[in-house]
């Protein structure tokens, strides 16, 4: 069953664990991993990799986070051909940005040397002063997770060890909020996602005075902790609500996860114990945001896995699972993909509905 559900792709150029990955058109941008500074582009159509760059030699990656910044001002064709990535956190904190243009195109060769494209450079403020995202030297950012949100996609929501949540304003380069997550679990290497797609994640509500109020919603899962998090941008305040956690993964973290519409899929995981007490999962779980319900699948990963990363390729509705550690704690170079509809039957219904409507329109045209 596993071999039918998961398709093995070309191996990674190097074994990777704790990697971070971003989607850009037909590319998966793989941004380093534990003690691995090399970054690669994987072409989803060609099934090939190309080297992009390395993190600077002074950067030691151990539980870092990478997010894609949103530029609401620039909408030209040139701007759509590039993305800006922000890399930060880890046991030894760093904060870097990379303006990326496809290494598969001729454009990147022309502008790379001129404008610091396709290389990690310091994250700087408006006075060109370097900025390190981190509360202070004592806060541990290993296994940190973050999402972009806010009314103008200018807020970086950060969740990190042991139970911290912060809001960093990317326009003013300052933290504007710190709070404590209502949990006894240590929060790191966890699942942290927007409640819906970022474009739909803004919830407009009316106050008693008829004024519009901006809310941004997120979900967090780690071990036995499940939280729905609502951020009130106008009042700079959080609200937390407890969510159920499937008993099969209630003592686990370090899983790969991906949020697709109103579901979150979890692949593998580890119980953070060593020796005979260590348990590494090969199971796949689904959480439905709309129904507030968990589903455990009989279909599983081909092998036990943790510290891998999962990402959705929206072009062909496949989920890619990259790298990780196996049940012998060996870092692997495995890259595989699986169809979304194998885990979410509603996707198959949508496809069938599209086909029905398509052929129904053809039939109507023939009659006319």
């Amino acid at each position: 069953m596993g071999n039918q559900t998961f398709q093995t792709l070309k191996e990674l150029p190097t074994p990777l664990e704790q990697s971070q990955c971003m989607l850009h058109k037909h590319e998966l941008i793989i941004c380093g991993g534990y003690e691995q500074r090399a970054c690669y582009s994987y072409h989803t159509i060609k099934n090939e990799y190309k080297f992009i760059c390395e993190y600077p030699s002074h950067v030691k990656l151990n539980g870092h986070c990478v997010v894609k910044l949103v530029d609401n001002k620039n909408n030209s064709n040139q701007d759509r051909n590039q993305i800006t990535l922000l890399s930060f956190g880890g046991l030894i904190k760093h904060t870097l940005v990379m303006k990326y243009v496809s290494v598969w195109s001729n454009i990147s060769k022309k502008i790379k040397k001129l404008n610091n494209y396709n290389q990690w450079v310091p994250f700087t403020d408006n006075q060109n002063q370097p900025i390190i995202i981190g509360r202070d030297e004592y806060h541990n950012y290993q296994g940190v997770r973050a999402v972009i949100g806010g009314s103008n996609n200018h807020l970086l929501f950060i969740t990190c060890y042991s139970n911290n949540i912060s809001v960093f304003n990317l326009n003013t380069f300052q933290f504007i909020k710190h709070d404590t997550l209502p949990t006894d679990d240590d929060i790191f290497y966890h699942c942290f996602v927007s409640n819906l797609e970022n474009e739909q994640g803004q919830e407009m509500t009316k106050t008693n005075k008829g004024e519009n109020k901006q809310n941004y919603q997120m979900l967090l899962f780690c071990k036995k902790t499940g939280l729905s998090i609502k951020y009130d941008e106008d009042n700079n305040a959080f609200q937390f609500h407890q969510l159920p956690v499937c008993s099969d993964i209630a003592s686990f973290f370090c899983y790969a996860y991906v949020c697709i519409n109103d579901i979150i899929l979890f692949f593998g995981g580890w119980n953070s114990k060593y020796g005979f007490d260590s348990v590494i999962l090969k199971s796949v779980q689904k959480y439905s945001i709309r129904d507030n319900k968990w589903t455990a699948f009989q279909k599983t990963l081909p092998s036990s896995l943790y510290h891998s990363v999962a990402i959705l390729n929206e072009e062909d509705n496949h989920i890619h699972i990259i790298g990780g550690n196996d049940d012998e704690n060996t870092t692997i170079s495995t890259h595989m993909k699986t169809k979304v509809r194998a885990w979410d039957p509603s996707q198959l219904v949508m496809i069938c509905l599209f086909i029905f409507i398509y052929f129904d329109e053809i039939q109507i045209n023939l009659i006319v």
Side-chain angles (χ1 to χ4, degrees), residues 18-85:
Q18 301 181 24
S19 186
Q20 294 285 283
C21 190
M22 291 290 124
L23 177 68
H24 176 54
K25 297 185 177 180
H26 297 298
E27 298 176 63
L28 304 182
I29 312 303
I30 303 169
C31 301
Y34 175 66
E35 296 187 348
Q36 290 286 347
R37 295 185 292 111
C39 302
Y40 301 92
S41 168
Y42 171 78
H43 200 290
T44 57
I45 298 175
K46 298 179 180 180
N47 190 28
E48 295 286 345
Y49 300 90
K50 271 192 178 183
F51 176 77
I52 300 174
C53 67
E54 284 191 343
Y55 278 84
S57 58
H58 69 275
V59 174
K60 308 298 182 184
L61 298 180
N62 187 350
H64 67 303
C65 179
V66 177
V67 295
K68 185 192 300 186
L69 299 182
V70 180
D71 188 352
N72 296 317
K73 299 178 182 178
N74 297 321
N75 294 306
S76 66
N77 288 331
Q78 180 179 349
D79 294 320
R80 284 194 291 268
N81 287 327
Q82 69 181 49
I83 57 173
T84 302
L85 303 179

Side-chain angles (χ1 to χ4, degrees), residues 85-147:
L85 303 179
L86 172 69
S87 178
F88 74 100
L91 184 61
I92 303 174
K93 292 189 284 289
H94 70 272
T95 308
L96 302 168
V97 290
M98 174 167 60
K99 292 188 291 184
Y100 177 76
V101 175
S102 176
V103 292
W104 303 90
S105 70
N106 292 326
I107 300 175
S108 64
K109 298 177 182 177
K110 298 178 181 178
I111 66 176
K112 179 181 176 181
K113 295 181 179 179
L114 297 177
N115 299 302
N116 288 329
Y117 278 80
N118 295 4
Q119 55 184 303
W120 292 109
V121 298
F123 181 53
T124 58
D125 61 16
N126 295 329
Q127 284 72 47
N128 207 32
Q129 296 299 309
I131 299 293
I132 296 293
I133 297 177
R135 292 179 64 175
D136 52 52
E137 60 180 316
Y138 302 108
H139 276 84
N140 186 349
Y141 272 43
Q142 182 182 15
V144 62
R145 298 289 181 258
V147 297

Side-chain angles (χ1 to χ4, degrees), residues 166-325:
S166 302
V167 185
F168 185 86
N169 189 316
L170 293 164
N171 291 337
T172 63
F173 307 99
Q174 293 181 338
F175 281 104
I176 60 173
K177 179 71 175 177
H178 296 298
D179 211 330
T180 302
L181 297 167
T183 177
D184 295 327
D185 287 322
D186 290 332
I187 303 300
F188 64 132
Y189 296 115
H190 52 290
C191 166
F192 185 47
V193 298
S194 301
N195 195 341
L196 297 172
E197 298 288 343
N198 262 354
E199 300 84 32
Q200 301 169 338
Q202 307 295 331
E203 181 189 73
M204 296 293 294
T205 58
K206 291 280 187 179
T207 65
N208 293 332
K209 298 180 181 180
E211 299 171 339
N212 285 329
K213 183 179 177 182
Q214 285 278 5
N215 287 323
Y216 192 76
Q217 299 183 8
M218 297 151 279
L219 291 97
L220 180 148
F221 292 97
C222 185
K223 300 179 180 178
K224 65 179 184 297
T225 299
L227 292 173
S228 172
I229 304 169
K230 182 179 289 188
Y231 176 72
D232 179 347
E233 186 174 339
D234 294 331
N235 295 310
N236 192 23
F238 283 110
Q239 290 183 2
F240 305 100
H241 299 281
Q242 301 289 336
L243 297 175
V245 178
C246 175
S247 59
D248 293 343
I249 63 170
S251 61
F252 292 83
F253 68 140
C254 298
Y255 24 59
Y257 62 89
V258 62
C259 184
I260 306 169
N261 298 323
D262 76 322
I263 68 166
I264 307 174
L265 294 170
F266 298 78
F267 301 90
W270 179 46
N271 67 348
S272 75
K273 296 182 180 180
Y274 295 91
F276 294 109
D277 294 326
S278 176
V279 178
I280 302 169
L281 299 177
K282 62 187 297 185
S283 60
V284 181
Q285 316 284 340
K286 178 175 73 173
Y287 174 71
S288 170
I289 300 172
R290 181 181 293 114
D291 300 331
N292 191 24
K293 178 183 177 182
W294 286 86
T295 302
F297 294 97
Q298 292 184 342
K299 295 178 288 187
T300 67
L301 292 163
S303 60
S304 301
L305 193 62
Y306 74 103
H307 274 328
S308 58
V309 61
I311 186 168
L312 172 67
N313 178 14
E314 298 172 349
E315 295 289 330
D316 62 2
N317 260 9
H318 276 84
I319 302 163
H320 290 250
I321 300 173
I322 295 171
N325 297 89

